Amino acid sequence: MVSGSNKMAEIMAAAIQLFKDKGYHATSMQDIADAVGLQKGSLYHYISSKEDLLILIIREALAQYISNLEEIARSNLPPRDKFAEAVRHHLKGIATNLGMLTVFLREAHALTPEQRAIVDRETRRYNELVEGIYQEGVAQGVFRPLNPKLVCRTVLGACNWFYRWYRPDGPLSLEEMADFFVDVLFRGIEARPAASETAPPGSGGQSAAGGSDTSAGA
Amino acid sequence: MVSGSNKMAEIMAAAIQLFKDKGYHATSMQDIADAVGLQKGSLYHYISSKEDLLILIIREALAQYISNLEEIARSNLPPRDKFAEAVRHHLKGIATNLGMLTVFLREAHALTPEQRAIVDRETRRYNELVEGIYQEGVAQGVFRPLNPKLVCRTVLGACNWFYRWYRPDGPLSLEEMADFFVDVLFRGIEARPAASETAPPGSGGQSAAGGSDTSAGA
Amino acid sequence: MVSGSNKMAEIMAAAIQLFKDKGYHATSMQDIADAVGLQKGSLYHYISSKEDLLILIIREALAQYISNLEEIARSNLPPRDKFAEAVRHHLKGIATNLGMLTVFLREAHALTPEQRAIVDRETRRYNELVEGIYQEGVAQGVFRPLNPKLVCRTVLGACNWFYRWYRPDGPLSLEEMADFFVDVLFRGIEARPAASETAPPGSGGQSAAGGSDTSAGA
Amino acid sequence: MVSGSNKMAEIMAAAIQLFKDKGYHATSMQDIADAVGLQKGSLYHYISSKEDLLILIIREALAQYISNLEEIARSNLPPRDKFAEAVRHHLKGIATNLGMLTVFLREAHALTPEQRAIVDRETRRYNELVEGIYQEGVAQGVFRPLNPKLVCRTVLGACNWFYRWYRPDGPLSLEEMADFFVDVLFRGIEARPAASETAPPGSGGQSAAGGSDTSAGA
DNA sequence: TATGAATGAGAGTTCATTCAT
DNA sequence: AATGAATGAACTCTCATTCAT
C-alpha cells in the first residue's frame, strides 16, 4: 500500500469520478483499473480494499471541510460574517470538489458500521461548529434565539442539497448562488429584519441549472 | 405478475424497509424473500425484477407527493398559506413515509437511464409546482422577486435533507419542526420583514434528533 | 443448503476423492463442480463454503470412528479382545473409507481454529477410549503397566500411518494386515510373553504394498 | 540464486517455521518475505520458486535422515542395537528438527509429480535400510520372521506419528520416550519373549504431551 | 402460487512470479 | 542484492434470474 505516489492519486481521482457517476456499488474494481490502465489486481498495491478507497475519499472530503470551517470559527469575524463565510465555504467546497463531496454525501451509508461511526463523529463535529457560530450570534443579539440544532440542520440541509443540482456550466456563477444562499438563509435567522430593500442578489437570473437531474426538488 | 394482492404489499413493505436500512445494492432478493417468508424464486411471481421493485417504490413515493402538492397548488389559499402548506406537506410526507422517501431520495440514481428520465420528469414537475406557488406570491407582492429556481432549490433542499436526520422518536414533534421550517424559510423569501417579534416556534427545544446519523450537516 | 439429497452425496464424494488426490488447497471449487457436472456457483446450494465441505467430511469420518469404538469399549469382551477389536476397527475404518480418512488425517490442520478445536476434542475422546481399554487390561493384569498416553500414541500412530501406504490392490488382504498389527502391537504391551511360538500371521508374504508412495517410512 | 549465504539460511528457517505453523499452501511468499525483512520480489534472488523452497526443505530433511541411518546400518552393532539405534535416531531427528520434519511428513504431497518421485525414491531407500536391519536380525535369530515390509511400516508408522504429538516442553524427556518406543516395538518383533520383567521405561509418567493436537490418535 | 435446483456472469481479492531500475 | 510496480491467472463466493415441477 503506497500513499503518496502518482498512481495513487490517479486511482483516487478515477474512483471519485466513477463513484460519482455510477455509484459506489455499481462501480467495479475492473472499472477503476481500466480507468487508470492497470490490471484490477494491481490496484491492491495501492489500496487494501474497495471500501478502503471509499473511506479514503470520504475522509479527505471531511478533512478539508472541517479544517476550513474551524479556521472560520476561530477567526475574529463578527458572527454574521462567520455565518456567511461558513455558508459560502460549504457551497464552494461542494462546487470545487463535486465528485468527492457527492461520494461523501451519497455513499457514506455504504461504509461498515465502524467506519460510519468515525464519519458520523466528524460530521457531528462539523455541525457543532456551525451551531457554535449561530449561538455566538444569538449571544450577541444578531440572531434570533431558535433551536440551534434545527437551525443548523435547516441551513446545512439547504447547502448540502447543492450537490444534487449544482452544475459547473450552469447560468449562474458560484458567487451569485452563494450570495443568494447567504441572503435567504440569513433573513431566516437574523434578529432584526433586513433594513436594506435594495435588489437582492440573484434576483434577475432564471435557472441555476439545467434541471435535468433526478432528484433535485422532490 | 400480480399487483393488488396482499403478498405484493408485503413484498413492497419489506423492500422499502430493507432498501432503507441496507441500501438498494446491499439488499439481495434473498433478503427480501426471507423477510416475506418466500423462496427468492417465488418473488418473480409478483415482480419482474429487482429494479422493478425500486421503480415501484419510487413511483409510488412520487405519485403521493405530487398529487397532494397539485391539490395545494390548485386550492384557493393565498400564496403564503399555499407555500406554508407545501412545506408542511413535504415534511409530513417524509416523516410518514420515511422508508419510501429515503429510498426515493437516496437510491434513485441506481435506476437505469430510462427509468431515471421518467423520475426526473416527475421531479421537475414537482419543482415547477413549488416555483409556481412562489411566483404567484411574487406577483401578489407577498414574496420578494428572486430567481424562482434558486428559491425552490433552497427551500426544497432544506426540506429534503429532513429524511437524513428525522427520527420519529426525537424530542420535537413533527408539528414543531414543520412550524420551524415554515417560519425560517418564509422569512427568507417574504417581501416585508416579519412584523411579529414574538417567540418563534421551536425556539426552546434542544435537539431535533439524536444526531447520530452519518450525513446530516457536513 | 440441502443435506440429504443425492447431489449433496455426489458433491461430498467428489470432494473426498479430490481432496485425497490433490489435497484440500490444491482442489478448486471448479474441480468439484466439474466432477459433479454443475456450475461452481451452484455448489453453494448445498454447502456454504469450501471449508464447510472439509468440515462435513472430517466430522463424518470422526463420527463413524468414534461411535464404533464406543461400542467396542462398552462391550463385555475381555480387554485383550477389546484392544484387538479397536486395532482392527481402526485399520478397517481407514481401508474402507480411505478417502475420508485421508482427508481427515492429512487436512485437518487446514481448518479454522474454531473448527480445529472441535475436531481436537473429538480426537481426544477417541484417544481416551483407547487408553481406557488399555487401562482396563492393566487393571486385570493383562497388559503391562506403562504410561497409557504413550501406549495409545504408539499404537494409534502405527495404525494411523496405515492411510499413507494402504492400497486396496496390495498383495496382502486387510485381514492379514490387521492380524499382523494386532499380533505385533499386542506383544509390545501384554503382561506375559506370548507362549505360542507358532508362525505369526503375515510371516510369509513379501510386500504389503507397492511402496510407491512418498511418505511411507521416513 | 545463491545457496550458501546467510540470507538463504534465514529464508529456509522462516519457511520451515511458517510451513509448519500455517501449512505450505496457506503460507504466502509475502509471509516469508516479512519474516526475513525482504520484499517478496527479493526472495527470488535466493530461490527460484515457492516449490523450490519446499523441495529444499524436504531434501535436507531426508538427507540428514538417511545419512545417519546409513551409518547405523553400516556399523558393527548387533541387530538389536542397530534396530534400537534406528528408532532412537528417528525420534531424535523428529524432535530436533520438528519444523523440517513436519513439513516433510505433512506437505510432501504438495510437490509436483517429478519431485515427489525423487522424494519417494529416497523414502523407499530409508525403508529398505530399516528392513535390512530387521532382516539381519531375523537371519541371526534375534527377530521373528515376519513380513519385513509390514514390520517396517508398523515401526516407522508409530515413529513418524511422533511429529504430530511431540512437544519439546512435554512432561517426558525425549530419552524416556525413545526408551519406551524401543521397548514396546522391540517386544513386538523379537524372537524370544523378554526375559526381564523389570519395570519398563516410561511406566510411571502420565502424559507424554499436552494432547491438544488435532490429529493424534484417531 | 410456490418451489428450489440450476445458471452464468461477475464480483472482490490473492498470489507467485517477473523485471526495469 | 534489493526494490516495488505490475502482471495475469486463479480463487472463493454472490446474486439476479429462469424454469420444470
Side-chain angles (χ1 to χ4, degrees):
Chain A
M1 257 120 300
V2 178
S3 49
S5 76
N6 236 11
K7 267 275 186 276
M8 184 61 190
E10 267 185 69
I11 291 168
M12 286 275 289
I16 288 171
Q17 194 64 39
L18 285 160
F19 289 173
K20 168 174 170 286
D21 292 345
K22 314 178 56 169
Y24 173 72
H25 281 109
T27 299
S28 70
M29 294 306 277
Q30 190 60 257
D31 291 334
I32 299 172
D34 290 348
V36 297
L38 249 58
Q39 295 300 114
K40 64 180 169 172
S42 307
L43 294 175
Y44 290 82
H45 266 285
Y46 299 93
I47 55 162
S48 58
S49 70
K50 190 186 175 189
E51 204 207 353
D52 187 43
L53 213 34
L54 182 56
I55 293 168
L56 253 34
I57 294 168
I58 289 180
R59 290 274 194 97
E60 190 168 325
L62 262 172
Q64 284 186 16
Y65 247 67
I66 290 186
S67 80
N68 287 352
L69 186 61
E70 275 172 339
E71 209 173 322
I72 293 168
R74 270 197 314 271
S75 73
N76 288 328
L77 297 171
R80 10 182 352 142
D81 291 352
K82 273 193 190 176
F83 187 89
E85 272 309 287
V87 169
R88 280 177 210 283
H89 154 256
H90 197 100
L91 296 179
K92 204 173 295 183
I94 288 173
T96 54
N97 288 300
L98 188 55
M100 210 157 72
L101 267 294
T102 297
V103 172
F104 164 43
L105 290 168
R106 195 182 59 200
E107 309 287 0
H109 73 105
L111 292 172
T112 53
E114 293 75 30
Q115 291 297 333
R116 271 196 64 146
I118 296 173
V119 170
D120 281 354
R121 215 179 308 130
E122 297 294 289
T123 300
R124 209 147 42 231
R125 169 111 187 86
Y126 191 90
N127 276 15
E128 283 160 7
L129 285 170
V130 172
E131 286 174 34
I133 291 173
Y134 164 71
Q135 288 185 295
E136 227 180 296
V138 172
Q140 299 189 13
V142 182
F143 296 141
R144 301 155 67 202
L146 303 163
N147 180 321
K149 275 232 159 66
L150 229 37
V151 167
C152 169
R153 290 186 196 286
T154 307
V155 169
L156 290 181
C159 292
N160 283 337
W161 207 253
F162 191 49
Y163 92 86
R164 300 267 283 220
W165 54 268
Y166 170 70
R167 297 294 173 271
D169 53 353
L172 295 182
S173 74
L174 178 55
E175 274 305 309
E176 288 173 300
M177 291 186 279
D179 287 345
F180 177 90
F181 267 77
V182 168
D183 174 68
V184 167
L185 296 173
F186 226 89
R187 292 186 181 230
I189 62 169
E190 68 183 344
R192 278 155 306 134
S196 70
E197 277 294 342
T198 51
S203 59
Q206 259 312 313
S207 165
S212 73
D213 99 284
T214 288
S215 32
Chain B
M1 245 118 317
V2 178
S3 49
S5 77
N6 233 12
K7 270 274 185 265
M8 183 61 191
E10 268 186 67
I11 291 169
M12 286 276 289
I16 288 170
Q17 193 64 39
L18 286 161
F19 289 172
K20 167 174 172 286
D21 292 345
K22 315 179 54 170
Y24 173 71
H25 280 110
T27 299
S28 69
M29 294 302 278
Q30 189 61 256
D31 291 333
I32 299 171
D34 290 348
V36 297
L38 249 52
Q39 293 306 112
K40 64 179 166 176
S42 309
L43 293 175
Y44 290 84
H45 284 286
Y46 298 93
I47 56 164
S48 58
S49 72
K50 191 185 174 189
E51 205 205 354
D52 188 41
L53 212 35
L54 182 57
I55 293 168
L56 253 35
I57 294 168
I58 289 180
R59 290 275 195 94
E60 190 167 325
L62 263 172
Q64 284 186 16
Y65 247 67
I66 291 186
S67 79
N68 286 353
L69 187 61
E70 276 173 338
E71 209 173 320
I72 293 168
R74 269 198 314 272
S75 73
N76 288 328
L77 295 171
R80 351 180 14 133
D81 292 354
K82 274 192 188 175
F83 186 89
E85 270 310 287
V87 168
R88 280 176 210 284
H89 153 255
H90 198 101
L91 296 178
K92 204 172 294 183
I94 287 173
T96 54
N97 288 299
L98 189 55
M100 209 158 72
L101 267 294
T102 297
V103 173
F104 165 44
L105 291 168
R106 196 183 58 198
E107 309 285 0
H109 72 106
L111 292 172
T112 53
E114 294 74 30
Q115 292 297 332
R116 270 196 65 146
I118 297 174
V119 171
D120 281 354
R121 213 178 309 130
E122 297 294 290
T123 301
R124 209 146 43 230
R125 170 111 186 88
Y126 190 90
N127 276 16
E128 283 159 7
L129 285 170
V130 172
E131 285 173 35
I133 292 173
Y134 164 70
Q135 287 185 297
E136 227 181 297
V138 172
Q140 298 189 14
V142 182
F143 295 142
R144 299 157 67 203
L146 302 163
N147 181 320
K149 276 234 157 68
L150 231 35
V151 167
C152 168
R153 290 187 196 285
T154 307
V155 169
L156 291 181
C159 291
N160 283 338
W161 207 253
F162 192 50
Y163 92 87
R164 298 267 282 223
W165 55 268
Y166 170 70
R167 297 292 173 272
D169 52 354
L172 295 181
S173 72
L174 178 56
E175 273 306 309
E176 288 173 299
M177 291 187 280
D179 287 346
F180 178 91
F181 267 75
V182 168
D183 175 68
V184 168
L185 295 173
F186 227 89
R187 291 186 181 230
I189 62 168
E190 68 184 344
R192 278 154 306 131
S196 70
E197 278 293 343
T198 51
S203 59
Q206 259 311 314
S207 166
S212 74
D213 99 284
T214 287
S215 33
Chain C
M1 258 121 300
V2 178
S3 50
S5 76
N6 236 11
K7 266 276 185 279
M8 183 62 191
E10 268 185 67
I11 291 169
M12 286 276 290
I16 288 170
Q17 193 64 39
L18 286 160
F19 289 172
K20 168 172 169 289
D21 292 345
K22 315 179 53 169
Y24 174 71
H25 280 110
T27 299
S28 70
M29 294 305 279
Q30 190 61 258
D31 291 334
I32 299 171
D34 290 348
V36 297
L38 279 162
Q39 294 301 112
K40 64 184 166 169
S42 307
L43 294 175
Y44 291 82
H45 267 287
Y46 299 93
I47 55 162
S48 57
S49 70
K50 191 185 173 188
E51 205 205 352
D52 187 42
L53 213 35
L54 182 56
I55 292 168
L56 253 34
I57 293 168
I58 289 180
R59 290 276 195 94
E60 191 168 325
L62 263 172
Q64 284 187 15
Y65 247 67
I66 291 187
S67 80
N68 287 353
L69 185 61
E70 276 173 338
E71 209 173 321
I72 293 168
R74 270 197 314 271
S75 73
N76 288 329
L77 295 171
R80 9 182 351 143
D81 290 352
K82 274 193 190 177
F83 187 88
E85 271 310 287
V87 169
R88 279 177 209 285
H89 153 256
H90 198 100
L91 296 178
K92 203 174 294 186
I94 287 174
T96 54
N97 286 300
L98 189 55
M100 210 156 72
L101 267 294
T102 298
V103 173
F104 164 43
L105 290 169
R106 196 183 57 199
E107 309 286 0
H109 73 106
L111 292 172
T112 54
E114 293 74 32
Q115 292 298 331
R116 270 197 64 146
I118 296 174
V119 171
D120 281 353
R121 213 178 311 130
E122 297 293 290
T123 300
R124 211 145 41 230
R125 171 110 186 88
Y126 191 91
N127 276 16
E128 284 160 6
L129 285 169
V130 173
E131 285 174 35
I133 292 173
Y134 164 72
Q135 287 185 295
E136 227 181 296
V138 172
Q140 299 189 13
V142 181
F143 295 142
R144 300 156 66 203
L146 302 163
N147 180 321
K149 275 235 158 64
L150 229 37
V151 167
C152 169
R153 290 186 196 286
T154 307
V155 169
L156 290 181
C159 292
N160 284 336
W161 206 253
F162 191 50
Y163 92 87
R164 298 268 283 222
W165 55 268
Y166 170 71
R167 297 293 173 271
D169 52 355
L172 295 182
S173 73
L174 178 56
E175 273 306 310
E176 288 173 301
M177 290 187 279
D179 287 345
F180 178 91
F181 268 76
V182 168
D183 175 67
V184 168
L185 295 173
F186 226 90
R187 292 186 180 230
I189 61 169
E190 68 183 345
R192 279 155 304 133
S196 72
E197 277 293 345
T198 51
S203 59
Q206 257 312 314
S207 165
S212 73
D213 101 283
T214 287
S215 31
Chain D
M1 244 116 323
V2 178
S3 49
S5 77
N6 233 11
K7 270 273 185 264
M8 184 61 191
E10 269 185 64
I11 292 169
M12 286 276 290
I16 288 170
Q17 193 63 39
L18 285 160
F19 289 172
K20 167 174 172 286
D21 292 344
K22 314 178 56 169
Y24 173 71
H25 279 109
T27 299
S28 69
M29 294 302 279
Q30 190 62 256
D31 291 334
I32 298 170
D34 290 348
V36 297
L38 248 51
Q39 293 306 113
K40 65 179 165 175
S42 308
L43 293 175
Y44 289 84
H45 283 287
Y46 299 93
I47 55 164
S48 58
S49 71
K50 190 184 173 188
E51 205 205 354
D52 187 42
L53 254 185
L54 183 57
I55 294 169
L56 252 35
I57 294 168
I58 289 179
R59 289 276 195 94
E60 190 169 326
L62 262 172
Q64 284 186 15
Y65 247 66
I66 291 186
S67 81
N68 286 354
L69 186 61
E70 276 172 338
E71 210 173 320
I72 293 169
R74 269 198 314 270
S75 73
N76 288 329
L77 296 170
R80 359 181 3 139
D81 290 351
K82 275 193 189 177
F83 188 88
E85 270 311 285
V87 169
R88 280 177 209 284
H89 153 256
H90 198 101
L91 296 178
K92 204 173 294 184
I94 288 174
T96 55
N97 287 300
L98 189 55
M100 209 157 73
L101 267 293
T102 298
V103 173
F104 164 43
L105 290 170
R106 196 183 58 199
E107 309 286 0
H109 74 105
L111 292 171
T112 54
E114 294 74 32
Q115 292 298 332
R116 272 196 63 146
I118 297 173
V119 170
D120 281 354
R121 213 177 312 128
E122 297 294 290
T123 301
R124 209 147 42 233
R125 170 111 187 86
Y126 191 91
N127 275 17
E128 282 160 8
L129 285 169
V130 173
E131 285 174 35
I133 292 173
Y134 164 71
Q135 286 184 297
E136 226 181 298
V138 172
Q140 299 188 13
V142 182
F143 296 142
R144 300 157 65 204
L146 301 163
N147 180 322
K149 276 235 159 63
L150 229 35
V151 167
C152 169
R153 290 187 195 287
T154 307
V155 169
L156 290 182
C159 291
N160 284 336
W161 207 253
F162 192 50
Y163 92 87
R164 299 267 284 221
W165 56 267
Y166 170 70
R167 297 293 174 272
D169 53 354
L172 294 182
S173 73
L174 179 56
E175 273 307 308
E176 288 173 299
M177 290 187 278
D179 287 345
F180 178 92
F181 267 76
V182 168
D183 174 68
V184 167
L185 295 173
F186 227 89
R187 292 186 181 230
I189 61 169
E190 67 183 346
R192 278 155 304 134
S196 70
E197 277 293 344
T198 51
S203 59
Q206 257 312 312
S207 165
S212 73
D213 99 285
T214 287
S215 31

